[in-house]
Amino acid sequence: MKLSRKIELCQLSPIRKFYPYAVAAEQRGIYIHALNIGQPDIQTPNAYLDAIKAYRENVLSYAPSPGIPSLIEAVQGYYARLGVRYDASDIVITTGGSEALLMTMMSILDEDCEVIVPEPYYPNYHTFIRMAGGKICPVPTVAEDGYRYASRERIEPLINEKTRAILITNPGNPTGTLLTNEEVRLLADIAKEHDLFLICDEVYREFIYDGEMTTAAALEDMAENLVMIDSVSKRFSACGARIGALISRNKTLIEGAVKIAQARLSVATLDQIGAQALYGVDSSYFNETREEYRRRRDVCYRKMKEIPNVVVAEPKGAFYMMAKLPIEDAEDFQMFLLNEFDDNGETVMFAPGSGFYATEGAGKSEIRLAYVLCAEQLERALDVLRKGLEKYLQR
Amino acid sequence: MKLSRKIELCQLSPIRKFYPYAVAAEQRGIYIHALNIGQPDIQTPNAYLDAIKAYRENVLSYAPSPGIPSLIEAVQGYYARLGVRYDASDIVITTGGSEALLMTMMSILDEDCEVIVPEPYYPNYHTFIRMAGGKICPVPTVAEDGYRYASRERIEPLINEKTRAILITNPGNPTGTLLTNEEVRLLADIAKEHDLFLICDEVYREFIYDGEMTTAAALEDMAENLVMIDSVSKRFSACGARIGALISRNKTLIEGAVKIAQARLSVATLDQIGAQALYGVDSSYFNETREEYRRRRDVCYRKMKEIPNVVVAEPKGAFYMMAKLPIEDAEDFQMFLLNEFDDNGETVMFAPGSGFYATEGAGKSEIRLAYVLCAEQLERALDVLRKGLEKYLQR
């Protein structure tokens, strides 16, 4: 009873292996500062649950396969405020950004096709691409250069007859790197010149701390090539809603996505109703949330820069930071922190870097920190990390 | 910008093409009796929305990837009442039965692998199998024989080195065919002898009108081979909840499913909370619902048998019936009913049969009726169908 080759090439979450050790540490009375996962602690707007509570139908029916029209309209309205006009038929509501990614990969990848992805990248891209039979062709970047990747020299040599798309996260997870206006334009040009899809995951678009966000959606000449991946998860701190969207003016691609959407029937009805209400929150919500994350970003960057021999690039957006530590193996360091270290009964968890890379051996000295704790706790957590690193280096 | 071969091999819903004609008929003032889709009109138990309304967390967080433990426990409890013991780790909560099917296919199928499926079958099986790179190998059945398929003579000749699984719906959609105890045992034996997965979609298990339901889950010797597809959609008339489950004692298969579950992060949090509450409804709910569907089944079968030259097998379960009409092309008949016919301002929609078959040209004389309307409306709808057929044959 063997499994498929593609599922064997997928991985269990690399964070999972630390779980039993974290439980054991907690059982010894150790408090763990969790910087390892991107679950925000920001309150979900009440509008979500209020809208659901107002549901009055007797039968909880299937929603239309491409999404409830009023939610699609809300997404259109959101993009209109960014100056981008989408038709209702350009939008397919999905079960989280995750399903939008899966539908895209299924629609464009055949066996052994390649997707160019700057590394480090969001690890679940790997699984969605593998499920469709494809593989990641990584664009290497380095911490010292702020993980920048958007240049012809880095990308064009990777394009071959198997390449189908360039997939980017802007602002970046795990790096916080923000593309300039010129870089977005360049990526669009490369995609057009080589007949590739440009898949833009901009789910952290609201969280920009320096510079200007250039949304690829605004590029009018990219109708055929551009696929936008959207989600309410981070935008409205509503990760558990599992509402996202696949957006493209490419009619053929949308038809492919709709085939899948029809097969899985619909996205959860009440969550769509809740998500629609989220799009009505006051813009002050975004401002307040952004300022909160900016405070955390500032703490995180300052504290990490103070640690000797650590390389960090200041994140310009999202709520993650990569850091290169003066160690050989971040997984070994994580095990040390869970099994052999505490500072006043506290320790810390992060996401080891190698899970964010496709290149064998890359990222082993790096860690990803999610700054999803309040600034005060973050100060303390990073002190604990620094002390842990000192102890680890003295062994 | 071409799409993948696998998405080209998927189809848009065959019902979709009638949509503009249905809209046009409604604009002419025609009332359409909708027997074409399996959306029940039975009230969803209040427990669902009540549980969601009681949600009190400030942050709508991701749920655990394999599902919320208390929902998994509720599913375990449900199977325990059927006399079947599952461990919590045998169950992965999914976004509808749809995602359970997709995860299963992704986990077991490589390019060009085959799944044996009795036809007529639930059309979305085709898309999930295609998405994984595989294809359906149909077991032909005939209306005159009650669409039965469970025999060695029919199935074993179809098994080859590319076969990975046998996929059945019991009771059947679209046929209402119910497997006997001996037939379930035989299918299990065939799967074991040939090292195949037996994928059992028993989402209509509660709706049995004659005979006894034998759940494959009760077969103790099938730990390695059996995959159960589960859903609350029909069981609790909660299609819009999108809560299902993949259940298997095969640890390797579950590990494959969990890889996908982790990549898509989680199933919607509130819907899981609502679904958990559904499992607490009184068993009288199932009895009342079953009796309601039985009345409808009786009307549907009686009315269809009264129409000359129609072949129907009495459905033993689920809420569908296939009928073979004395016509060449059910799609053409549907177009006639929408464009050229009405009886006192009323017409009827069904699902044309060919969409339920993989064999080229099969099922063209057949239609699927979903008896999801109350008995009184069903009487009238089937009178309209009979009159439409008479007119169609007289042209």
Side-chain angles (χ1 to χ4, degrees), chain A residues 71 118 122 136 155 196 239 251 254 262 287 317 340 346 360:
Chain A
L71 173 57
Y122 175 56
I136 286 179
I155 293 173
L196 304 177
C239 297
K251 302 277 177 226
I254 291 289
Q262 290 182 345
N287 295 334
E340 301 173 43
E346 297 167 45
E360 189 65 32

Side-chain angles (χ1 to χ4, degrees), chain A residues 321-374:
Chain A
M321 185 166 76
M322 287 297 277
K324 191 173 171 186
L325 307 185
I327 57 175
E328 295 274 298
D329 183 349
E331 296 200 3
D332 186 65
F333 177 41
Q334 179 68 83
M335 288 299 254
F336 168 81
L337 288 175
L338 289 173
N339 298 335
E340 301 173 43
F341 170 81
D342 75 87
D343 182 62
N344 203 19
E346 297 167 45
T347 191
V348 64
M349 282 186 86
F350 47 73
S354 55
F356 299 86
Y357 286 83
T359 301
E360 189 65 32
K364 288 191 75 172
S365 305
E366 293 173 57
I367 64 173
R368 185 194 75 172
L369 301 170
Y371 41 98
V372 291
L373 307 176
C374 69

Side-chain angles (χ1 to χ4, degrees), chain B residues 286-347:
Chain B
F286 292 127
N287 295 334
E288 285 163 24
T289 307
R290 187 187 311 114
E291 288 316 305
E292 175 60 29
Y293 280 124
R294 186 201 304 275
R295 273 192 294 277
R296 298 172 180 192
R297 190 274 312 254
D298 290 346
V299 169
C300 205
Y301 181 59
R302 173 172 52 77
K303 298 291 287 186
M304 290 303 290
K305 275 215 357 173
E306 286 170 10
I307 307 177
N309 302 313
V310 165
V311 182
V312 282
E314 185 178 42
K316 306 300 181 191
F319 38 72
Y320 307 100
M321 185 165 76
M322 287 297 280
K324 191 173 171 185
L325 307 185
I327 58 175
E328 295 274 298
D329 183 349
E331 296 199 4
D332 187 65
F333 177 42
Q334 179 68 80
M335 289 299 255
F336 169 82
L337 289 175
L338 289 173
N339 298 337
E340 303 172 42
F341 171 82
D342 75 87
D343 182 64
N344 203 19
E346 297 167 46
T347 192

